[in-house]
Amino acid sequence: MGRYTLRLQDTGRSEAALVGGKGAGLGELAKIPGIRVPHGFCITTEAFRSVLRGAPAIDTLLEDLSRLGADDRPGIAECSGAIRSAIEGAEVPDDIVRAIAAHIAELGDHHAYAVRSSATAEDLPSASFAGQQDTYLNVVGAPAILRHVRRCWASLFTARAVTYRLEHGFDHRKVHLAVMVQKMVFPRAAGVLFTADPVSFDRTVVSIDASFGLGEALVSGLVNPDNYKVRNGVLVGKTIATKQLEIVAERGGGTTHRAVPSEVRAEQALADAQVLELAQLGRTIEAHFGRPQDVEWCLAEGAFFFVQSRPITTLFPVPVAHDHAKHVYVSVGHQQMMTDALKPLGVSVFQLTAFGTMHAAGGRLFVDASAALATPHGRHALLKAMAEHDPLTEDAIRTLLERTPASGDGADYVPPVAPRPEAEPAWAQAVLDESRAEVDTLKRDIQGKSGPDLFDFIATDIGRLKKIVFSPRSMAVLTAAAHAASWLDTHMKDWLSEENVSYVLSQSVPDNVTAEMGLALLDVADAIRPYPGITSYLQRAADDGFLSGLDALEGGSTVRAAFERYLDKYGMRCTGEIDITRPRWGEAPTALVPALLANVRNVPAGEGPRKFEKGRREAEEMARSLLARLRQLPDGDEKAAATAREMDRLRCLTGYREYPKYAIVRRYFVYRQALLAEALRLVAAGVVRETEDIYYLTFQELREVSRTGAFDVRLVESRRVEHAHHQRLTPPRVMTSDGEVPVGRYRRANLPPDALVGLGVSSGVIEGRARIVLRMEEAMLEEGDILVTTFTDPSWTPLFVSIKGLVTEIGGLMTHGAVIAREYGLPAVVGVLNATQRIEDGRRIRVHGTHGYVELL
């Protein structure tokens, strides 16, 4: 006979497959000294499976359900409804009925009980499934309990539960339901406790919501609760709500809504001493589970009882520091325009490549800014850099500094005047030539390398790469270009009242490898344009082997040659290219097809050279106009001469801004091909199962697998699950070692009341249709569209040639999207919080690229 029931005290994490997430959590709670949990028992998943086996029609319905997509709401509603009806009408075997009755008799037939669902895919570290299945309170008598157990089983297939599983990739057949049956507690007050503040994410703050009566009123959103915040045993915040309603148990079973007496509505649900006691109990629970918890509690007869504890799944992990000092971490992804989660191999290779130490958390990388913030000079330099790369990061750091200024807060600090960086135009070309020669040598020398020798070779070559990319000469070129832009914007505003002149002056600069990449794709579009059959063929291109099919079409060999020339030069690029595990265009060229077809539709033939020449001419005309006006001023000849020098530096050196990442990505492509060849060798030797397994190992772990042949399948599988969870998390721009996430804001006035505020990075005002694009390979752009997205890295450049403007959620003055928007003369606003949610796809908008805001029209 199966294990159909278990006493609550016999459950726990080791029994999660039998008792589900809620049951496992309750069993663990019951094991903690000093923590009260209402007595009860669990009807296990074996009982649930036994009932399903007795109803063959359910199996057919589950098969139908598995074929539905998460967006097929009518289909889900119909199929899930049929499954629920089948479960509620199914026969419950006698041995299960007897086992339930025995537990009820043991606990007391006269008691009222709570009957609560507990799914196996529930209260997981990666997905809470909160509220997806049903709970019933104040159920009295064995027949009523059995009836509500059936309802709980059926609630596994509510439309919302089915949709949630589909969205999170859970197989319906692999999720089972247990049911917890516990003695009812009739509380004076109840609520939810978070051992990390759910608003600020500060792990040092316990946040408690409390209201009168049963907790169901609070968790279902029917009442406004009191909120209490406790830090280190001290009550640091208190908001007392006017509590109009409570849910209470009725005589004979069930619950009812009742108005709270007017004389107590504004009273605290908990006394201050009770708040502190509850917070301490919450810390005890957190210590047992080893991570922040979301805990449901109730207060009855002066004692706290706990009826649920689950991990808080929305918290972003904190980088691990091996000390007890305070740290401030700044996101690398927000500077690199790649906030997606990286796989472990991608994280470790980028850490090897980076200049300085980077800390990993949640599949993202962070820099510890604590040392820089400890000195006035360091704070000034960091804030200045962040102002250029991402003003919201800068303001988040300022928010921390304003609240807790460092010793010697630097309020009167005057930064030293930095000498103007000097860099000759020839330096940029010299660095480019050196990097190209190094890649040719790398391709030759890496041939034939395998095993530990390959990994040692790559590690050594990364050292050579860093010497080129971070050399004093390379840094001088970057700094001089940025200084020239800043000098021109500052002096032209002071002397001529002209704002952001560098935006126009940096259009169509020479040797910008990323801007050239976008224009080069127009040449491929020009090759396609005379052949409508090829356009039709590309619209159906479904896999990365489509190039071979071109040869059978009129003009196919010409188009294929043009495409392959493009891939020879740019095939190492892709979206999220700082992650070495991402497929490159040379491996997955279908990613380019939507941009290519948009160019064929929206851009006239020969537009590449014309677009470049138009930008060059506009920059030249502005330069002439500015210099002529300057000569009319006092000391005009001197001002014009100084301005001309900075204009030359800007034009000659700005193109190099895009090259360091290009140099890194070119080498990554060579490393990637060698590592995939090594993975194929390991697959052939039976060491790993498939090539993509290597993505879930760090560089050093993969080296050891290659050396020893020892491969941990369970580690890779757990890393896959962890990565899927990381993908659903939103990385913070800034976070502290306490887990707090300060939010940056734009501090500007005199804007339209409904303006979506960001940072203007490329001059001009443009109106058009907003096109929301979350993945570059899914872009379906039409002429005149304004691209609205989360962020752009260099791989998005091919889209820029056929749009009118740009809006992104992330970015700063010197990030990729800003640089290329200026290069192409596109009005652009970056750093617009939640732009892809606040702007409806297809909505007409006006982009104010000079003043940094977007209007909804």
Side-chain angles (χ1 to χ4, degrees):
M1 186 175 70
R3 298 175 69 190
Y4 294 140
T5 58
L6 285 172
R7 290 183 177 87
L8 178 61
Q9 59 265 35
D10 295 331
T11 66
R13 279 178 283 202
S14 62
E15 303 288 344
L18 272 176
V19 301
K22 190 182 282 99
L26 282 166
E28 290 297 321
L29 279 173
K31 292 178 171 65
I32 306 173
I35 300 299
R36 297 181 180 87
V37 177
H39 296 302
F41 65 98
C42 178
I43 303 164
T44 68
T45 56
E46 286 194 11
F48 174 73
R49 287 195 292 268
S50 176
V51 170
L52 260 59
R53 284 194 297 270
I58 294 175
D59 198 55
T60 302
L61 291 168
L62 284 173
E63 185 65 33
D64 294 340
L65 192 62
S66 69
R67 290 192 286 266
L68 299 177
D71 57 348
D72 186 358
R73 300 304 167 89
I76 290 172
E78 180 180 353
C79 194
S80 62
I83 294 173
R84 290 196 305 276
S85 296
I87 291 174
E88 289 192 37
E91 188 73 26
V92 180
D94 290 343
D95 46 357
I96 296 177
V97 173
R98 285 194 297 270
I100 293 171
H103 282 287
I104 295 171
E106 180 183 332
L107 291 169
D109 291 318
H110 60 285
H111 284 298
Y113 290 87
V115 182
R116 310 173 72 204
S117 304
S118 178
T120 52
E122 180 179 73
D123 296 353
L124 303 174
S126 58
S128 74
F129 285 76
Q132 295 302 315
Q133 282 79 51
D134 286 350
T135 289
Y136 300 95
L137 302 178
N138 200 30
V139 182
V140 180
I145 289 172
L146 186 58
R147 187 166 62 251
H148 286 86
V149 167
R150 292 173 185 267
R151 292 179 181 174
C152 284
W153 284 335
S155 73
L156 186 63
F157 294 97
T158 62
R160 70 176 185 275
V162 167
T163 301
Y164 191 92
R165 287 196 295 274
L166 289 170
E167 290 173 344
H168 287 75
F170 284 84
D171 187 338
H172 302 300
R173 295 175 181 277
K174 294 181 180 179
V175 179
H176 305 292
L177 199 79
V179 180
M180 303 302 300
V181 180
Q182 290 178 274
K183 280 187 175 181
M184 275 291 295
V185 172
F186 300 99
R188 174 189 175 278
V192 181
L193 174 154
F194 298 91
T195 62
D197 191 321
V199 177
S200 70
F201 306 125
D202 190 340
R203 268 75 161 178
T204 68
V205 173
V206 174
S207 180
I208 298 169
D209 285 347
S211 193
F212 296 130
L214 292 165
E216 187 69 13
L218 189 153
V219 297
S220 61
L222 294 177
V223 297
N224 292 322
D226 294 350
N227 179 257
Y228 310 91
K229 295 189 186 299
V230 179
R231 178 187 279 118
N232 300 326
V234 177
L235 185 59
V236 296
K238 180 164 56 175
T239 302
I240 308 305
T242 300
K243 296 168 282 293
Q244 305 279 355
L245 183 74
E246 63 181 335
I247 296 180
V248 296
E250 286 193 305
R251 292 178 178 271
T255 62
T256 188
H257 296 183
R258 186 176 71 185
V260 175
S262 58
E263 64 272 16
V264 298
R265 287 176 182 175
E267 286 187 4
Q268 292 187 197
L270 296 176
D272 288 358
Q274 291 172 322
V275 171
L276 297 178
E277 178 190 356
L278 180 57
Q280 184 55 52
L281 292 170
R283 288 293 182 216
T284 300
I285 292 169
E286 179 185 61
H288 178 83
F289 286 99
R291 62 178 297 164
Q293 295 289 298
D294 166 357
V295 182
E296 293 182 23
W297 58 270
C298 51
L299 176 66
E301 299 179 359
F304 286 107
F305 290 82
F306 296 90
V307 295
Q308 186 159 321
S309 186
R310 57 183 174 231
I312 304 175
T313 60
T314 56
L315 292 177
F316 196 88
V318 180
V320 176
H322 300 287
D323 58 31
H324 298 291
K326 300 289 186 182
H327 296 269
V328 176
Y329 298 102
V330 176
S331 166
V332 173
H334 285 83
Q335 317 309 313
Q336 288 292 327
M337 296 296 96
M338 190 343 206
T339 57
D340 293 345
L342 282 71
K343 297 185 179 72
L345 184 62
V347 167
S348 60
V349 171
F350 198 72
Q351 283 176 312
L352 289 173
T353 311
F355 185 73
T357 302
M358 290 186 178
H359 304 267
R364 279 77 169 190
L365 290 164
F366 295 85
V367 172
D368 187 348
S370 310
L373 294 174
T375 67
H377 183 272
R379 291 199 292 282
H380 172 77
L382 179 64
L383 291 170
K384 184 173 183 294
M386 291 302 100
E388 289 189 349
H389 282 85
D390 184 23
L392 292 176
T393 295
E394 177 210 18
D395 192 68
I397 296 172
R398 286 191 185 278
T399 299
L400 287 176
L401 294 175
E402 288 166 2
R403 194 180 65 224
T404 54
S407 57
D409 64 14
D412 299 322
Y413 173 70
V414 178
V417 178
R420 181 165 57 80
E422 297 289 348
E424 298 297 329
W427 290 11
Q429 192 59 50
V431 178
L432 300 181
D433 291 342
E434 181 183 5
S435 177
R436 291 187 186 108
E438 283 277 333
V439 171
D440 291 339
T441 302
L442 167 64
K443 289 178 179 177
R444 183 191 67 227
D445 292 348
I446 205 170
Q447 294 297 320
K449 296 277 192 302
S450 66
D453 289 346
L454 170 63
F455 294 90
D456 292 344
F457 177 85
I458 290 175
T460 300
D461 190 76
I462 287 174
R464 286 197 293 269
L465 168 63
K466 290 167 73 170
K467 285 181 180 178
I468 295 172
V469 171
F470 301 114
S471 70
R473 177 173 285 189
S474 176
M475 293 297 99
V477 172
L478 290 175
T479 306
H483 185 276
S486 177
W487 190 97
L488 287 164
D489 287 341
T490 300
H491 286 78
M492 294 308 99
K493 185 174 182 180
D494 289 346
W495 293 341
L496 299 174
S497 299
E498 290 281 355
E499 292 193 25
N500 301 324
V501 298
S502 67
Y503 295 178
V504 176
L505 292 172
S506 58
Q507 288 183 191
S508 299
V509 297
D511 296 320
N512 185 323
V513 67
T514 306
E516 291 168 358
M517 176 174 68
L519 297 177
L521 197 65
L522 291 176
D523 296 338
V524 183
D526 285 349
I528 293 169
R529 195 170 280 106
Y531 307 107
I534 292 180
T535 300
S536 299
Y537 172 78
L538 291 176
Q539 288 170 341
R540 301 189 303 272
D543 59 61
D544 295 317
F546 72 91
L547 284 174
S548 61
L550 288 171
D551 292 338
L553 303 173
E554 181 188 3
S557 58
T558 300
V559 171
R560 180 173 180 173
F563 213 131
E564 288 176 342
R565 282 195 301 273
Y566 185 86
L567 293 175
D568 285 344
K569 189 168 185 179
Y570 302 110
M572 78 292 295
R573 309 217 78 153
C574 68
T575 302
E577 59 196 9
I578 65 171
D579 184 352
I580 199 171
T581 71
R582 293 285 189 101
R584 311 285 138 164
W585 289 342
E587 301 161 332
T590 48
L592 288 167
V593 169
L596 196 52
L597 291 173
N599 290 346
V600 172
R601 283 194 309 270
N602 305 331
V603 183
E607 183 66 9
R610 284 198 298 270
K611 185 179 283 286
F612 185 85
E613 181 58 23
K614 178 177 179 289
R616 189 195 65 76
R617 221 171 29 247
E618 288 176 359
E620 195 174 78
E621 288 169 2
M622 172 170 269
R624 277 198 302 268
S625 172
L626 293 173
L627 293 174
R629 291 166 62 191
L630 286 171
R631 293 189 185 102
Q632 306 302 314
L633 301 178
D635 301 321
D637 288 343
E638 291 179 17
K639 290 175 179 175
T643 301
R645 285 194 299 271
E646 296 302 330
M647 287 177 177
D648 286 343
R649 289 192 178 92
L650 181 72
R651 299 285 302 169
C652 291
L653 302 179
T654 292
Y656 186 75
R657 164 66 181 77
E658 290 292 303
Y659 199 82
K661 180 181 275 190
Y662 179 67
I664 291 170
V665 170
R666 290 186 76 201
R667 271 181 143 85
Y668 272 18
F669 191 38
V670 179
Y671 302 157
R672 173 181 164 80
Q673 290 176 315
L675 291 171
L676 286 175
E678 179 68 5
L680 288 171
R681 185 185 72 81
L682 293 171
V683 170
V687 176
V688 302
R689 301 164 305 171
E690 57 184 4
T691 55
E692 289 195 2
D693 282 346
I694 71 168
Y695 297 161
Y696 299 93
L697 299 171
T698 67
F699 184 81
Q700 189 56 40
E701 287 170 345
L702 182 55
R703 185 190 186 282
E704 286 304 295
V705 169
S706 180
R707 183 180 70 84
T708 65
F711 175 65
D712 189 342
V713 175
R714 288 175 300 179
L715 174 65
V716 167
E717 287 308 308
S718 69
R719 294 257 179 93
R720 285 181 187 271
V721 172
E722 185 178 56
H723 176 69
H725 173 51
H726 290 163
Q727 285 179 306
R728 293 192 289 270
L729 295 176
T730 300
R733 285 173 159 84
V734 178
M735 71 187 309
T736 70
S737 49
D738 293 329
E740 182 181 1
V741 177
V743 177
R745 293 178 175 83
Y746 294 106
R747 308 190 186 197
R748 275 188 274 151
N750 302 320
L751 294 178
D754 296 328
L756 307 184
V757 186
L759 178 70
V761 295
S762 186
S763 294
V765 178
I766 197 73
E767 290 184 15
R769 181 181 67 167
R771 177 58 73 207
I772 310 298
V773 179
L774 300 181
R775 298 177 63 203
M776 178 248 183
E777 57 269 29
E778 295 175 353
M780 299 298 290
L781 297 168
E782 299 295 338
E783 185 176 1
D785 281 350
I786 295 172
L787 175 62
V788 181
T789 188
T790 49
F791 59 83
T792 64
D793 65 7
S795 72
W796 288 68
T797 303
L799 299 181
F800 283 35
V801 295
S802 61
I803 61 176
K804 291 172 67 175
L806 173 70
V807 178
T808 70
E809 296 180 346
I810 298 168
L813 188 62
M814 295 307 295
T815 48
H816 160 76
V819 172
I820 302 304
R822 291 195 292 272
E823 170 80 16
Y824 288 170
L826 300 173
V829 179
V830 302
V832 179
L833 280 173
N834 302 318
T836 57
Q837 284 86 47
R838 296 163 72 189
I839 300 173
E840 183 182 358
D841 187 48
R843 179 75 175 267
R844 285 194 65 78
I845 62 174
R846 182 182 296 127
V847 177
H848 294 259
T850 304
H851 296 104
Y853 65 95
V854 179
E855 289 181 274
L856 304 179
L857 303 180

